[in-house]
Amino acid sequence: MPAVAGSLYMASQHKGVPPPLPPPPRPLPVINLGRLTMDSASRALAVRDIVLACRERGCFEVVNHGISRSCMNGALEAASEFFQLSTERKEEFASDDIRQPIRYDTSSRDGISMSRSFLKHYANPLDDWIKFWPTQPPTYREKMGEYAVETQRVSMQLMEAILQGLGLGPSYLQEKLEGGVQFVALNNYPQSSAKKADKIGLAPHSDYGFLTILLQSSPGLEVMHHEDDAWTSVPAIPGALHVHVGDHLEVLSNGQLKSLVHRAVLNPNESRISIASIHGLSMDEEVHCAEELVDEHHPKMYRGSSFQDFLDFLPANMNRYKRYVESLRIDKP
């Protein structure tokens, strides 16, 4: 502690004055995605802001993204209506096999669930996967399908901007991203109970893919920014989407960008729905550190891996809360 600051602190202690409170957390960056399709100068500034948010915070909010409010509300309604179905109906999708194209559960088989029920399924290409989705509620496929297509579009815009900002060019991996995995996770969290001491709905973790785009019905998401040791609550801004960096983007960028550690806490006022759309390459396509970002001053920091490798990682690490990206780091000599 600097001498002057230390003297003031000691003086306040001697006088019985409590030490000053820590500064409030900085608000999350809010990116106007419409700037990406404006003139070149506006796009350049938007690209800069997106990459800066990824580097410094690991996440940001996006507005003016082109997804209508009715589409977003429709997806939340479809999710809510699914979780309101009878247990028997929902259990039709229950499975111990994490490789199933659709899976419902209420337990902690993935090692991080504390208090939630969830439905997970694939969504891209939509025609390949929608046949596995629920037929009840009757509008589920229509509403969730529309939202999935729109979030896939937004993910492509964001990845083009991030790859451009990294110096790789907006068309880098374009075809592989267009045909890549989109994994949709619908989460249903109960209202926090005064009788229950543990308020955690989902334990701290990071996501495996390049980007996660999250829609939430009410506050409950908390993030831990890089170099921070405190949790920051993410507001549920009407019409906005939350975006955060995943493990495979950390790998691709050779550590220039870091995946975001986040968790879910139970809302004391109401139950909560969130829809996470995770985007990456195809099942068997390995993600490696981009060669353009590796040199003698910046050696390769991670091993390559695929989504299938991630699925192999999960069973052996249940309840250990080990992040997947930690298993990919190359030990320095």
Side-chain angles (χ1 to χ4, degrees), residues 156-177:
M156 290 297 299
Q157 283 187 293
L158 289 169
M159 283 301 298
E160 288 172 3
I162 292 169
L163 294 171
Q164 180 179 341
L166 288 172
L168 299 172
S171 60
Y172 188 88
L173 292 180
Q174 184 174 20
E175 290 186 9
K176 292 182 178 181
L177 288 166

Side-chain angles (χ1 to χ4, degrees), residues 19 43 59 63 108 135 196 241 253 258 269 273 281 287 296 306 322 327:
R43 177 179 174 83
C59 65
V63 296
S108 57
T135 56
K196 187 174 181 180
L241 294 167
S253 70
K258 303 292 186 183
N269 301 314
I273 298 286
L281 298 187
V287 176
E296 60 178 332
S306 67
K322 182 179 180 181
S327 71

Side-chain angles (χ1 to χ4, degrees), residues 206-282:
S206 57
D207 295 334
Y208 86 91
F210 286 139
L211 292 177
T212 296
I213 299 174
L214 185 103
L215 171 64
Q216 55 177 347
S217 64
S218 58
L221 174 65
E222 292 188 342
V223 299
M224 185 171 289
H225 297 299
H226 308 327
E227 310 303 329
D228 282 0
D229 57 1
W231 292 102
T232 298
S233 178
V234 175
I237 303 173
L241 294 167
H242 174 81
V243 181
H244 59 246
V245 174
D247 291 346
H248 270 162
L249 190 50
E250 179 172 336
V251 171
L252 183 70
S253 70
N254 198 30
Q256 288 192 33
L257 310 180
K258 303 292 186 183
S259 61
L260 181 77
V261 176
H262 55 286
R263 69 179 184 179
V265 296
L266 302 184
N267 190 310
N269 301 314
E270 57 186 326
S271 60
R272 172 177 172 264
I273 298 286
S274 72
I275 304 175
S277 183
I278 302 174
H279 301 265
L281 298 187
S282 62

